[in-house]
Amino acid sequence: MSRELTPAQIAQRSIQKKYVKQLWNPFITAVKQYQLIQAGDHIAACISGGKDSFLTATLLHMLHKHSDVPFDLTFLCMDPGYRPEVRQLILSNAARLELPVEVFDTNIFSYVVKQQGSPCYLCARMRRGHLYAEAQARGCNKIALGHHFNDVIETTLMSTLYGAQVQSMPPKLRSTNFEGMQLIRPLYQVHEADIIAWQHYNNLEFIRCACPFEYDPDTAKTSKRREVKNLIATLKQTHPNVDKCIFQSIHNVRLDTMVAWTHKGVEHDFLQLF
């Protein structure tokens, strides 16, 4: 008599079978290529409630069961002031995917909503700081976030087009404020379209954005990330591999062609080479 699979087992099996090339393989490639996990690590898989963080947590959960490299894993969710129905959806999804999530509360939304101008940068920094602090308090030395391939290339272009600097999103990063802590991005080589396909295949409903500004017509602004996402989609119509070229460019920087650069906080320019 065959045993009926749970929703979590079905979701995991779909990663191992149907989406192995799109999800599991690039996840494992990133973990190995960028040395994201070492023996003895204690990783906090940070669940925000969206598709990306839930997939990250699921992949790490699967790896934790079968990895030859021993590491500990904690599933951490920060509630920055979600509406009750949003929090309940996160908890329901965590239960469905059999992820024993630990939730902690902050008042970030109520604080940043009072700030002048766009609160996005401040909110992101505050959220990151709380995650580091809570993870460290639980004995973790790394936090894992759900940034994926598309986040990387969009950030790279946004930095150039709107920030007047060549800057990207590295696959792992040392914290400057929390000693011994690192941030890792296991979905670094996973495409967003494949995450969405996995979500729909398993009939999963995740939160899209719980930011209060998304529901306030007086403060909602045109997203620069959306502009860049649309730009890349337009370019792909005539250059199908343009996204892969952007991604590869940050692995292939020719520093001797740059006019000026910063390394470890120290500014340099090409005149120093003469």
Side-chain angles (χ1 to χ4, degrees), residues 8 11 19 31 35-36 38-39 41 47 74 101 109 124 144-145 150 161 164 172 178 217 226 244 251 271 273:
Y19 296 104
V31 168
Q35 300 177 20
L36 301 184
Q38 281 81 38
D41 279 344
I47 298 174
T74 295
V101 65
F109 281 173
L145 302 186
N150 298 82
L161 298 178
K172 66 179 178 181
F178 295 86
R226 173 58 58 183
K244 297 180 179 65
H251 294 73
L271 292 174
L273 304 178

Side-chain angles (χ1 to χ4, degrees), residues 51 148 150-151 153-154 157-158 162 192 196 223-236:
K51 65 186 191 310
H148 48 66
N150 298 82
D151 290 325
I153 65 171
E154 290 161 13
L157 281 191
M158 288 172 63
Y162 303 118
E192 184 176 29
I196 294 172
S223 168
K224 296 303 181 185
R225 185 169 294 276
R226 173 58 58 183
E227 289 181 4
V228 169
K229 188 182 290 288
N230 292 338
L231 172 61
I232 294 172
T234 299
L235 293 173
K236 280 177 66 67

Side-chain angles (χ1 to χ4, degrees), residues 254-262 268-273:
R254 295 294 188 258
L255 197 59
D256 54 0
T257 69
M258 297 292 103
V259 175
W261 61 93
T262 301
H268 307 272
D269 67 57
F270 79 106
L271 292 174
Q272 296 172 347
L273 304 178

Side-chain angles (χ1 to χ4, degrees), residues 155-167 260:
T155 298
T156 301
L157 281 191
M158 288 172 63
S159 173
T160 300
L161 298 178
Y162 303 118
Q165 58 184 342
V166 179
Q167 180 175 308

Side-chain angles (χ1 to χ4, degrees), residues 59 77 123 127 158 194 237 269:
L59 288 167
C77 175
C123 182
R127 287 162 69 100
M158 288 172 63
D194 295 323
Q237 294 175 12
D269 67 57

